[in-house]
Amino acid sequence: MTSPHERAPHTHARPSILEAVPALKTARLALRPPILRDFQVLLDIEDSLADTDLRSDNREEAWSNFMQMSATWVLRGHGWWTVEDSAGACGFVGLGFEPGDREPELGYLLTAPARGKGYATEASLAARGCARDLLHLPSLVSYVSDRNTASQNVARKLGAKRDAEAEAALGSDTTQVWRHWGPEAVR
Amino acid sequence: MAPYTPPEQTSPDERAARMRAMIPQIQTPRLTLRAPKLDDLPTLTAFYRTERSHLVGGPLDARAASRVMAGTIGQWALRGYGMWYIAGRATDEVLGWTGILFAPGWAEPELGWTVFPEAEGKGLAFEAALAARDYAAAHLGIHRPISYIEPVNTRSIALAERLGAVRESTGALLGKPCLIYRHPALDDDGSVEAYA
């Protein structure tokens, strides 16, 4: 059931700010700016993460996460895309920046049916290429839970390297930092 | 043959500024209503640290305050309307916010306003909320917004009444009881309709 605020805008205002987000294409996927009805995709993903620490506590927090994805573009000039395959929206990939983060993060979220197809790597490569060649982000990492072997594999496939120094600075026992590039590139 | 044009070089900051520029600005005699920006975060965080923020979901830590700002911007990005930050016209210093809010738990779009303690008592909230309400009527198709107000918030009740809003019902928002005020119907030019 959608609550009132999740329905399409009832006004004649045209959301257009995110038109400035670069649209990207890969062999199988399209990366486009998020729109309001993609919120349901995020809720579907969160439902599928019921037993993990990635899940929001409630719909308000999920909404807040969804807002954060779009807001990052307007506040920092990089952010999240909605990922579409031939069947429609199936997840998100992004150059995020959560409050308290030290540098931009490459991350992804896919619906259950979209997993296991190599989409995460394919979408992440496109987003990372944009981060490097168009957005010129000075550094980029992926924060990955030590229990999330799927995402560790994606980071490895992308050629990212564990950054022990950044992990120590983060002070978390369970979060791995995989560095794509940055001021102190990992050797 | 056309001369070679190198690929566009836009820094992330420039790209963000370009997107922010798509959020309309409103000038009033003393104020600018404008998009939030990252430089405003320390002011917002300082406000949310204090007990005075209890009427708008506070007190909050820095991380949560930053989330509030993202919520404000995200709504502009996804709906095409939202809350402006109220800034001093000369100083550009943030004094509060006003505009149209429509988030989880809201039954319909709301005209909201908050002014930080140091800016109270000067009629600034009235000046800002009036301008936002006029803009919503003229450009957003929002003609009779509601305002949710906590019963203890006598300052906001007084402002709603000064804006010509009428108490319509009582309800609850995010688990707290509230009064629901309804603003008068406005023409597109912002004047109260004669035969509403």
Side-chain angles (χ1 to χ4, degrees):
Chain A
M1 205 190 82
T2 57
S3 40
H5 80 98
E6 289 163 24
R7 283 174 217 136
H10 70 290
T11 72
H12 51 258
R14 301 289 309 160
S16 56
I17 295 166
L18 297 183
E19 278 170 16
V21 172
L24 307 176
K25 282 219 183 299
T26 69
R28 295 178 293 170
L29 304 171
L31 278 55
R32 58 155 176 81
I35 56 174
L36 202 56
R37 60 167 188 277
D38 297 336
F39 183 49
Q40 188 56 50
V41 178
L42 183 61
L43 290 175
D44 292 347
I45 293 170
E46 299 226 341
D47 278 345
S48 73
L49 298 173
D51 299 325
T52 74
D53 53 2
L54 292 170
R55 192 187 181 169
S56 301
D57 293 338
N58 53 47
R59 208 178 182 89
E60 281 76 22
E61 196 187 327
W63 179 254
S64 171
N65 290 338
F66 188 54
M67 294 288 104
Q68 180 85 27
M69 289 176 167
S70 298
T72 310
W73 283 110
V74 191
L75 289 172
R76 299 183 182 272
H78 59 82
W80 287 75
W81 289 266
T82 298
V83 177
E84 278 187 359
D85 67 3
S86 57
C90 62
F92 304 91
V93 64
L95 306 165
F97 201 104
E98 287 288 305
D101 280 359
R102 292 155 172 257
E103 46 196 330
E105 178 195 10
L106 175 64
Y108 69 90
L109 292 163
L110 291 173
T111 59
R115 291 174 209 153
K117 297 176 174 176
Y119 282 2
T121 307
E122 191 170 325
S124 296
L125 268 174
R128 191 176 68 174
C130 180
R132 189 186 50 220
D133 300 334
L134 187 67
L135 303 178
H136 308 291
L137 297 192
S139 74
L140 189 67
V141 295
S142 291
Y143 298 107
V144 184
S145 157
D146 62 354
R147 290 185 301 162
N148 189 347
T149 50
S151 286
Q152 290 162 25
N153 287 335
V154 170
R156 200 172 289 117
K157 260 191 265 180
L158 292 169
K161 301 253 185 344
R162 289 280 293 276
D163 183 338
E165 210 173 301
E167 286 178 15
L170 202 61
S172 159
D173 293 338
T174 56
T175 304
Q176 302 176 352
V177 181
W178 290 78
R179 179 165 297 283
H180 299 277
W181 64 77
E184 329 97 352
V186 186
R187 270 163 290 272
Chain B
M1 223 169 89
Y4 171 73
T5 313
E8 178 193 24
Q9 297 278 316
T10 308
S11 74
D13 284 351
E14 286 165 345
R15 191 174 297 271
R18 200 193 293 168
M19 291 191 204
R20 264 199 318 277
M22 296 171 79
I23 296 176
Q25 268 199 15
I26 303 174
Q27 304 283 347
T28 71
R30 292 178 290 172
L31 303 168
T32 301
L33 274 52
R34 61 158 172 82
K37 56 186 183 212
L38 222 45
D39 295 344
D40 299 327
L41 200 50
T43 308
L44 188 73
T45 304
F47 168 69
Y48 267 110
R49 227 179 350 241
T50 67
E51 186 53 36
R52 176 61 176 71
S53 66
H54 75 280
L55 292 169
V56 284
L60 299 174
D61 63 17
R63 183 186 172 84
S66 159
R67 283 258 165 177
V68 171
M69 182 188 266
T72 303
I73 288 268
Q75 199 194 283
W76 276 107
L78 292 163
R79 287 194 195 283
Y81 63 82
M83 304 273 274
W84 291 270
Y85 276 14
I86 304 169
R89 215 174 143 151
T91 62
D92 198 45
E93 187 193 348
V94 191
L95 306 170
W97 52 79
T98 187
I100 303 293
L101 186 57
F102 197 16
W106 270 245
E108 55 181 294
E110 179 202 7
L111 176 69
W113 54 78
T114 296
V115 166
F116 300 153
E118 59 273 21
E120 279 179 346
K122 301 171 192 165
L124 295 177
F126 176 76
E127 188 171 318
L130 192 64
R133 190 177 70 179
D134 287 353
Y135 186 93
H139 301 287
L140 303 176
I142 297 173
H143 289 274
R144 299 184 66 225
I146 54 169
S147 289
Y148 291 113
I149 304 178
E150 276 195 51
V152 295
N153 193 348
T154 50
R155 195 175 269 281
S156 260
I157 291 170
L159 176 51
E161 287 170 355
R162 192 175 163 204
L163 285 163
V166 178
R167 188 182 301 190
E168 187 173 85
S169 59
T170 57
L173 186 67
L174 303 177
K176 285 182 172 177
C178 64
L179 308 171
I180 299 170
Y181 277 79
R182 174 78 60 183
H183 290 266
L186 299 181
D187 287 333
D188 284 352
D189 67 1
S191 57
V192 176
E193 282 176 15
Y195 304 100

